[in-house]
Short mmCIF file of all heavy atoms in Angstrom, two decimals:
data_model
loop_
_atom_site.label_atom_id
_atom_site.label_comp_id
_atom_site.label_asym_id
_atom_site.label_seq_id
_atom_site.Cartn_x
_atom_site.Cartn_y
_atom_site.Cartn_z
N TYR A 33 0.62 9.97 -9.67
CA TYR A 33 0.43 11.42 -9.70
C TYR A 33 0.56 11.95 -8.28
O TYR A 33 0.13 11.31 -7.31
CB TYR A 33 -0.95 11.76 -10.27
CG TYR A 33 -1.16 11.18 -11.64
CD1 TYR A 33 -1.72 9.91 -11.78
CD2 TYR A 33 -0.76 11.87 -12.77
CE1 TYR A 33 -1.88 9.35 -13.03
CE2 TYR A 33 -0.93 11.31 -14.03
CZ TYR A 33 -1.49 10.05 -14.15
OH TYR A 33 -1.65 9.49 -15.39
N PHE A 35 0.17 15.52 -5.72
CA PHE A 35 -0.56 16.78 -5.59
C PHE A 35 -0.17 17.46 -4.28
O PHE A 35 0.18 16.82 -3.29
CB PHE A 35 -2.08 16.51 -5.53
CG PHE A 35 -2.63 15.76 -6.71
CD1 PHE A 35 -2.54 14.37 -6.75
CD2 PHE A 35 -3.26 16.42 -7.74
CE1 PHE A 35 -3.06 13.65 -7.82
CE2 PHE A 35 -3.79 15.71 -8.81
CZ PHE A 35 -3.69 14.33 -8.86
N TYR A 37 -2.28 20.12 -1.83
CA TYR A 37 -3.53 20.82 -1.55
C TYR A 37 -3.30 21.76 -0.39
O TYR A 37 -2.58 21.47 0.56
CB TYR A 37 -4.65 19.83 -1.19
CG TYR A 37 -5.39 19.27 -2.38
CD1 TYR A 37 -4.91 18.15 -3.06
CD2 TYR A 37 -6.58 19.84 -2.82
CE1 TYR A 37 -5.59 17.63 -4.15
CE2 TYR A 37 -7.27 19.32 -3.91
CZ TYR A 37 -6.76 18.21 -4.56
OH TYR A 37 -7.44 17.69 -5.65
N GLN A 39 -5.26 23.93 2.65
CA GLN A 39 -6.49 24.00 3.44
C GLN A 39 -6.41 25.19 4.38
O GLN A 39 -5.83 25.11 5.46
CB GLN A 39 -6.73 22.71 4.22
CG GLN A 39 -8.07 22.67 4.93
CD GLN A 39 -8.28 21.42 5.76
OE1 GLN A 39 -7.40 20.99 6.50
NE2 GLN A 39 -9.46 20.81 5.63
N ARG A 43 -11.43 25.61 5.88
CA ARG A 43 -11.47 24.15 5.67
C ARG A 43 -11.57 23.74 4.20
O ARG A 43 -11.44 22.56 3.90
CB ARG A 43 -12.64 23.48 6.41
CG ARG A 43 -12.58 23.45 7.89
CD ARG A 43 -13.44 22.30 8.43
NE ARG A 43 -14.77 22.30 7.88
CZ ARG A 43 -15.85 22.71 8.55
NH1 ARG A 43 -15.71 23.20 9.76
NH2 ARG A 43 -17.03 22.66 7.99
N GLN A 44 -11.78 24.68 3.31
CA GLN A 44 -11.90 24.32 1.90
C GLN A 44 -10.57 23.77 1.38
O GLN A 44 -9.53 24.35 1.59
CB GLN A 44 -12.31 25.55 1.08
CG GLN A 44 -12.55 25.28 -0.38
CD GLN A 44 -13.76 24.38 -0.61
OE1 GLN A 44 -14.84 24.64 -0.07
NE2 GLN A 44 -13.60 23.34 -1.40
N MET A 45 -10.60 22.64 0.69
CA MET A 45 -9.41 22.04 0.10
C MET A 45 -9.20 22.65 -1.29
O MET A 45 -10.09 22.57 -2.16
CB MET A 45 -9.57 20.53 -0.01
CG MET A 45 -9.69 19.83 1.32
SD MET A 45 -8.13 19.78 2.22
CE MET A 45 -7.28 18.50 1.33
N LEU A 47 -6.60 22.90 -4.64
CA LEU A 47 -5.44 22.34 -5.34
C LEU A 47 -4.42 23.44 -5.62
O LEU A 47 -4.75 24.49 -6.17
CB LEU A 47 -5.90 21.69 -6.65
CG LEU A 47 -4.77 21.12 -7.51
CD1 LEU A 47 -4.10 19.95 -6.79
CD2 LEU A 47 -5.31 20.68 -8.87
N ARG A 50 0.21 20.09 -9.22
CA ARG A 50 0.19 18.64 -9.46
C ARG A 50 1.37 18.25 -10.34
O ARG A 50 1.87 19.07 -11.12
CB ARG A 50 -1.12 18.22 -10.10
CG ARG A 50 -1.43 18.93 -11.40
CD ARG A 50 -2.84 18.65 -11.89
NE ARG A 50 -3.57 19.88 -12.17
CZ ARG A 50 -4.85 19.93 -12.52
NH1 ARG A 50 -5.56 18.81 -12.58
NH2 ARG A 50 -5.43 21.07 -12.77
N GLU A 52 2.99 14.79 -12.65
CA GLU A 52 2.92 13.43 -13.16
C GLU A 52 4.30 12.78 -12.98
O GLU A 52 5.30 13.40 -13.33
CB GLU A 52 2.56 13.41 -14.65
CG GLU A 52 1.19 13.96 -14.96
CD GLU A 52 1.18 15.46 -15.24
OE1 GLU A 52 2.14 16.13 -14.80
OE2 GLU A 52 0.24 15.94 -15.85
N PHE A 91 -1.33 19.85 2.40
CA PHE A 91 -1.33 18.40 2.33
C PHE A 91 -0.71 17.93 1.03
O PHE A 91 -1.05 18.42 -0.06
CB PHE A 91 -2.76 17.85 2.40
CG PHE A 91 -3.41 18.03 3.74
CD1 PHE A 91 -4.27 19.08 3.97
CD2 PHE A 91 -3.17 17.13 4.77
CE1 PHE A 91 -4.88 19.24 5.21
CE2 PHE A 91 -3.76 17.28 6.00
CZ PHE A 91 -4.62 18.34 6.22
N ARG A 95 -1.86 9.78 -6.01
CA ARG A 95 -2.89 9.00 -6.69
C ARG A 95 -2.21 7.97 -7.57
O ARG A 95 -1.32 8.30 -8.35
CB ARG A 95 -3.80 9.87 -7.55
CG ARG A 95 -4.80 9.04 -8.39
CD ARG A 95 -5.59 9.89 -9.35
NE ARG A 95 -6.66 10.60 -8.67
CZ ARG A 95 -7.05 11.84 -9.00
NH1 ARG A 95 -6.46 12.48 -9.99
NH2 ARG A 95 -8.04 12.41 -8.35
N TYR A 97 -1.54 5.59 -10.62
CA TYR A 97 -1.80 5.67 -12.06
C TYR A 97 -2.86 4.67 -12.48
O TYR A 97 -3.63 4.92 -13.39
CB TYR A 97 -0.50 5.39 -12.82
CG TYR A 97 -0.64 5.40 -14.33
CD1 TYR A 97 -0.56 6.59 -15.04
CD2 TYR A 97 -0.85 4.21 -15.03
CE1 TYR A 97 -0.69 6.59 -16.41
CE2 TYR A 97 -0.98 4.21 -16.41
CZ TYR A 97 -0.89 5.41 -17.09
OH TYR A 97 -1.02 5.42 -18.46
N SER A 101 -8.10 2.72 -5.45
CA SER A 101 -9.50 2.69 -5.04
C SER A 101 -10.30 3.61 -5.95
O SER A 101 -10.98 4.51 -5.50
CB SER A 101 -9.65 3.09 -3.58
OG SER A 101 -9.15 2.11 -2.74
N GLN A 102 -10.14 3.40 -7.24
CA GLN A 102 -10.86 4.18 -8.23
C GLN A 102 -10.60 5.67 -8.12
O GLN A 102 -11.53 6.48 -8.10
CB GLN A 102 -12.36 3.88 -8.16
CG GLN A 102 -12.68 2.42 -8.37
CD GLN A 102 -12.14 1.89 -9.70
OE1 GLN A 102 -12.28 2.55 -10.73
NE2 GLN A 102 -11.50 0.73 -9.69
N GLY A 103 -9.34 6.02 -8.06
CA GLY A 103 -8.98 7.42 -8.22
C GLY A 103 -8.90 8.23 -6.94
O GLY A 103 -8.78 9.45 -7.00
N ASN A 104 -8.99 7.56 -5.77
CA ASN A 104 -8.93 8.36 -4.55
C ASN A 104 -7.51 8.86 -4.31
O ASN A 104 -6.54 8.36 -4.89
CB ASN A 104 -9.40 7.55 -3.35
CG ASN A 104 -8.42 6.46 -2.99
OD1 ASN A 104 -8.23 5.54 -3.77
ND2 ASN A 104 -7.75 6.56 -1.85
N LEU A 105 -7.40 9.83 -3.42
CA LEU A 105 -6.11 10.38 -3.04
C LEU A 105 -5.68 9.81 -1.70
O LEU A 105 -6.51 9.58 -0.82
CB LEU A 105 -6.19 11.91 -2.94
CG LEU A 105 -6.55 12.64 -4.23
CD1 LEU A 105 -6.74 14.13 -3.97
CD2 LEU A 105 -5.45 12.43 -5.27
N PHE A 107 -3.39 10.81 1.45
CA PHE A 107 -2.88 12.06 2.00
C PHE A 107 -1.82 11.84 3.08
O PHE A 107 -1.86 10.87 3.83
CB PHE A 107 -4.02 12.86 2.64
CG PHE A 107 -4.97 13.47 1.64
CD1 PHE A 107 -6.06 12.75 1.19
CD2 PHE A 107 -4.77 14.75 1.17
CE1 PHE A 107 -6.95 13.31 0.27
CE2 PHE A 107 -5.64 15.32 0.26
CZ PHE A 107 -6.73 14.60 -0.19
N GLY A 108 -0.90 12.81 3.16
CA GLY A 108 -0.05 12.92 4.33
C GLY A 108 -0.80 13.61 5.46
O GLY A 108 -1.96 14.02 5.29
N LYS A 109 -0.14 13.76 6.61
CA LYS A 109 -0.81 14.35 7.78
C LYS A 109 -0.87 15.86 7.72
O LYS A 109 -1.57 16.48 8.51
CB LYS A 109 -0.08 13.92 9.06
CG LYS A 109 -0.24 12.45 9.37
CD LYS A 109 0.41 12.10 10.71
CE LYS A 109 0.23 10.63 11.02
NZ LYS A 109 0.81 10.28 12.34
N LYS B 9 -23.16 22.08 7.76
CA LYS B 9 -21.78 22.51 8.00
C LYS B 9 -21.30 22.04 9.37
O LYS B 9 -20.12 21.73 9.55
CB LYS B 9 -21.66 24.02 7.90
CG LYS B 9 -21.73 24.55 6.48
CD LYS B 9 -21.39 26.03 6.42
CE LYS B 9 -21.20 26.51 4.99
NZ LYS B 9 -22.32 26.21 4.12
N TYR B 33 -16.39 10.56 -3.50
CA TYR B 33 -15.67 10.02 -2.35
C TYR B 33 -16.14 10.68 -1.06
O TYR B 33 -16.55 11.85 -1.05
CB TYR B 33 -14.16 10.30 -2.50
CG TYR B 33 -13.60 9.91 -3.85
CD1 TYR B 33 -13.65 10.81 -4.90
CD2 TYR B 33 -13.06 8.65 -4.07
CE1 TYR B 33 -13.15 10.46 -6.16
CE2 TYR B 33 -12.56 8.29 -5.31
CZ TYR B 33 -12.62 9.21 -6.35
OH TYR B 33 -12.13 8.85 -7.59
N TYR B 35 -14.37 11.31 2.69
CA TYR B 35 -13.18 11.23 3.52
C TYR B 35 -13.53 11.75 4.92
O TYR B 35 -14.44 12.56 5.08
CB TYR B 35 -12.06 12.13 2.99
CG TYR B 35 -11.48 11.78 1.65
CD1 TYR B 35 -12.00 12.34 0.49
CD2 TYR B 35 -10.37 10.94 1.53
CE1 TYR B 35 -11.45 12.05 -0.76
CE2 TYR B 35 -9.82 10.65 0.29
CZ TYR B 35 -10.36 11.21 -0.84
OH TYR B 35 -9.81 10.93 -2.07
N GLN B 37 -11.43 13.59 8.28
CA GLN B 37 -10.19 14.22 8.71
C GLN B 37 -10.22 14.38 10.22
O GLN B 37 -10.95 15.21 10.75
CB GLN B 37 -10.01 15.59 8.05
CG GLN B 37 -8.70 16.27 8.42
CD GLN B 37 -8.57 17.66 7.81
OE1 GLN B 37 -9.55 18.29 7.44
NE2 GLN B 37 -7.34 18.14 7.69
N GLY B 42 -4.21 13.53 8.13
CA GLY B 42 -4.67 13.75 6.78
C GLY B 42 -6.05 13.14 6.58
O GLY B 42 -6.65 12.61 7.51
N LEU B 45 -10.02 7.75 3.44
CA LEU B 45 -11.16 7.40 2.60
C LEU B 45 -12.13 6.49 3.34
O LEU B 45 -11.73 5.44 3.87
CB LEU B 45 -10.66 6.72 1.33
CG LEU B 45 -11.72 6.35 0.30
CD1 LEU B 45 -12.34 7.61 -0.31
CD2 LEU B 45 -11.10 5.48 -0.81
N TYR B 48 -16.35 5.13 -1.50
CA TYR B 48 -16.31 5.80 -2.78
C TYR B 48 -17.34 5.19 -3.71
O TYR B 48 -17.90 4.12 -3.44
CB TYR B 48 -14.90 5.72 -3.40
CG TYR B 48 -14.46 4.34 -3.81
CD1 TYR B 48 -14.64 3.88 -5.10
CD2 TYR B 48 -13.83 3.49 -2.89
CE1 TYR B 48 -14.21 2.61 -5.48
CE2 TYR B 48 -13.41 2.23 -3.25
CZ TYR B 48 -13.59 1.79 -4.55
OH TYR B 48 -13.17 0.54 -4.91
N VAL B 50 -18.19 4.84 -8.10
CA VAL B 50 -17.71 5.05 -9.47
C VAL B 50 -18.85 5.37 -10.42
O VAL B 50 -18.64 5.51 -11.63
CB VAL B 50 -16.91 3.84 -9.98
CG1 VAL B 50 -15.75 3.56 -9.04
CG2 VAL B 50 -17.80 2.62 -10.12
N PHE B 90 -15.42 15.21 4.57
CA PHE B 90 -15.34 15.85 3.27
C PHE B 90 -15.89 14.93 2.19
O PHE B 90 -15.54 13.75 2.13
CB PHE B 90 -13.90 16.20 2.91
CG PHE B 90 -13.34 17.34 3.69
CD1 PHE B 90 -12.61 17.10 4.84
CD2 PHE B 90 -13.55 18.64 3.29
CE1 PHE B 90 -12.10 18.15 5.58
CE2 PHE B 90 -13.04 19.70 4.03
CZ PHE B 90 -12.31 19.46 5.17
N ASN B 94 -14.31 13.61 -8.79
CA ASN B 94 -13.49 13.92 -9.96
C ASN B 94 -14.07 13.23 -11.20
O ASN B 94 -14.82 12.27 -11.09
CB ASN B 94 -12.00 13.58 -9.79
CG ASN B 94 -11.69 12.30 -9.06
OD1 ASN B 94 -11.38 12.34 -7.88
ND2 ASN B 94 -11.75 11.17 -9.74
N ASP B 97 -11.12 8.32 -12.99
CA ASP B 97 -10.45 7.67 -11.89
C ASP B 97 -8.94 7.75 -12.00
O ASP B 97 -8.23 7.48 -11.05
CB ASP B 97 -10.87 6.19 -11.80
CG ASP B 97 -10.48 5.40 -13.06
OD1 ASP B 97 -10.37 6.01 -14.13
OD2 ASP B 97 -10.29 4.18 -12.94
N ARG B 98 -8.44 8.14 -13.16
CA ARG B 98 -6.99 8.14 -13.35
C ARG B 98 -6.53 9.52 -13.77
O ARG B 98 -7.31 10.41 -14.03
CB ARG B 98 -6.60 7.12 -14.42
CG ARG B 98 -7.05 5.74 -14.09
CD ARG B 98 -6.59 4.73 -15.11
NE ARG B 98 -7.11 3.41 -14.79
CZ ARG B 98 -6.75 2.31 -15.41
NH1 ARG B 98 -5.86 2.38 -16.40
NH2 ARG B 98 -7.27 1.15 -15.08
N GLY B 99 -5.24 9.67 -13.80
CA GLY B 99 -4.68 10.90 -14.33
C GLY B 99 -4.50 11.96 -13.26
O GLY B 99 -4.78 11.75 -12.08
N ASN B 100 -4.06 13.10 -13.72
CA ASN B 100 -3.78 14.19 -12.80
C ASN B 100 -4.98 15.11 -12.63
O ASN B 100 -4.83 16.24 -12.19
CB ASN B 100 -2.57 14.99 -13.28
CG ASN B 100 -2.88 15.80 -14.54
OD1 ASN B 100 -3.90 15.56 -15.19
ND2 ASN B 100 -2.03 16.73 -14.87
N ASN B 101 -6.16 14.61 -13.01
CA ASN B 101 -7.33 15.49 -12.90
C ASN B 101 -7.58 15.88 -11.45
O ASN B 101 -7.39 15.08 -10.53
CB ASN B 101 -8.56 14.81 -13.52
CG ASN B 101 -8.93 13.52 -12.82
OD1 ASN B 101 -9.76 13.50 -11.93
ND2 ASN B 101 -8.32 12.41 -13.22
N GLU B 102 -8.02 17.10 -11.29
CA GLU B 102 -8.22 17.65 -9.96
C GLU B 102 -9.39 16.97 -9.26
O GLU B 102 -10.43 16.70 -9.87
CB GLU B 102 -8.51 19.15 -10.06
CG GLU B 102 -8.75 19.84 -8.72
CD GLU B 102 -8.98 21.32 -8.87
OE1 GLU B 102 -8.83 21.84 -9.99
OE2 GLU B 102 -9.31 21.96 -7.86
N GLN B 103 -9.22 16.69 -8.00
CA GLN B 103 -10.32 16.21 -7.17
C GLN B 103 -10.92 17.43 -6.47
O GLN B 103 -10.21 18.17 -5.81
CB GLN B 103 -9.83 15.18 -6.16
CG GLN B 103 -10.96 14.48 -5.41
CD GLN B 103 -10.50 13.16 -4.83
OE1 GLN B 103 -10.34 13.02 -3.62
NE2 GLN B 103 -10.30 12.15 -5.66
N PHE B 105 -13.40 19.27 -3.80
CA PHE B 105 -13.88 18.99 -2.46
C PHE B 105 -15.03 19.91 -2.07
O PHE B 105 -15.07 21.09 -2.46
CB PHE B 105 -12.75 19.17 -1.44
CG PHE B 105 -11.73 18.07 -1.49
CD1 PHE B 105 -10.71 18.09 -2.43
CD2 PHE B 105 -11.79 17.01 -0.60
CE1 PHE B 105 -9.77 17.08 -2.49
CE2 PHE B 105 -10.86 15.99 -0.65
CZ PHE B 105 -9.85 16.03 -1.59
N PRO B 107 -17.08 21.80 1.24
CA PRO B 107 -16.55 22.62 2.34
C PRO B 107 -16.41 21.87 3.65
O PRO B 107 -15.87 22.40 4.61
CB PRO B 107 -17.59 23.74 2.47
CG PRO B 107 -18.85 23.12 1.97
CD PRO B 107 -18.47 22.17 0.90
N GLY B 108 -16.90 20.64 3.71
CA GLY B 108 -16.75 19.84 4.92
C GLY B 108 -17.91 20.00 5.90
O GLY B 108 -18.61 21.01 5.91
#
Side-chain angles (χ1 to χ4, degrees):
Chain A
Y33 304 90
F35 304 82
Y37 274 85
Q39 186 183 46
R43 291 204 309 256
Q44 184 67 49
M45 296 288 284
L47 178 65
R50 57 190 128 185
E52 296 90 339
F91 291 98
R95 174 187 282 145
Y97 178 85
S101 289
Q102 302 303 315
N104 69 294
L105 298 174
F107 288 88
K109 291 185 179 182
Chain B
K9 286 189 169 54
Y33 311 87
Y35 295 92
Q37 182 183 21
L45 183 67
Y48 67 94
V50 303
F90 288 94
N94 40 261
D97 62 333
R98 302 184 183 188
N100 70 346
N101 61 94
E102 179 178 353
Q103 189 159 108
F105 287 82

